[in-house]
Amino acid sequence: KAMQRGETLCDIVEETNPELRFLLVFMYQLAGLPKERFGKKPYNPILGEVFRACFRHKNGAITMLYAEQVSHHPPITAVHLHSDKLGICFNSYMKPEPKFWGNSIEVRLTGLIKLSLEKYGEVYEMTRPTIWQTGILGIGKQRVEFVGETTLTCEKNDLI
């Protein structure tokens, strides 16, 4: 879901104020969360399947995205996204850790996200929140909630 709001990447690179840029990075991270989906068949690393996509920005920049299921048991997903024109590099890995609670499931999304901005020499590190989904057995309303903490840090600018 890294390109859910892809135009935000241009806004991040164009923002000269470090505090506002930090907020834009946080908005970019949160923008993709409501679209998270579960229950799909993951890519099978034994078959060598890699998801590749590109996103063309309004300013003509192109961002390339590569994703692969790098481990089947346990499932671990790796994502690399980069744009030479924007000077960004995004690397992430995610290992979901589900716990079943009757009619609900809690999914702790362990792993780290790193977004590097070449223009500013900054590296942002992010974690994902835990996801709580109810109604998985068809009892009651199905809904997804984000619980717990997500963190964002930029060591260069001393922002947390």
Side-chain angles (χ1 to χ4, degrees):
K1 301 302 173 186
M3 294 309 293
Q4 193 66 36
R5 301 284 186 262
E7 285 304 326
T8 307
L9 292 173
C10 292
D11 298 337
I12 291 169
V13 172
E14 292 168 4
E15 180 55 61
T16 57
N17 181 302
E19 288 84 12
L20 293 177
R21 195 166 48 250
F22 183 85
L23 290 174
L24 287 170
V25 170
F26 194 59
M27 287 172 41
Y28 174 74
Q29 165 64 0
L30 294 179
L33 290 176
K35 301 294 181 181
E36 292 286 345
R37 297 287 185 254
F38 298 96
K40 295 181 181 178
K41 176 195 170 288
Y43 288 114
N44 191 336
I46 296 170
L47 298 177
E49 294 175 322
V50 176
F51 176 78
R52 295 179 186 100
C54 67
F55 180 87
R56 187 175 304 277
H57 299 274
K58 292 176 186 171
N59 68 359
I62 295 175
T63 297
M64 299 298 298
L65 174 107
Y66 303 92
E68 182 178 0
Q69 192 80 11
V70 295
S71 174
H72 191 65
H73 292 291
I76 299 173
T77 303
V79 176
H80 173 77
L81 180 140
H82 75 274
S83 172
D84 292 335
K85 185 172 182 178
L86 294 178
I88 61 161
C89 182
F90 174 104
N91 288 297
S92 170
Y93 71 92
M94 179 179 62
K95 177 183 169 190
E97 296 177 350
K99 289 184 183 175
F100 294 93
W101 302 94
N103 193 36
S104 302
I105 185 171
E106 173 186 4
V107 183
R108 188 168 163 250
L109 301 174
T110 61
L112 188 63
I113 302 166
K114 286 189 178 186
L115 174 64
S116 302
L117 301 179
E118 184 180 296
K119 181 177 179 179
Y120 303 105
E122 298 170 341
V123 177
Y124 294 85
E125 292 190 356
M126 299 166 258
T127 61
R128 295 172 180 87
T130 296
I131 296 173
W132 186 266
Q133 183 173 357
T134 60
I136 62 172
L137 298 178
I139 302 168
K141 185 176 178 180
Q142 286 191 348
R143 71 174 190 240
V144 177
E145 298 177 23
F146 300 96
V147 298
E149 296 181 357
T150 184
T151 61
L152 171 63
T153 61
C154 178
E155 189 174 307
K156 179 180 179 186
N157 297 326
D158 198 30
L159 296 170
I160 298 175

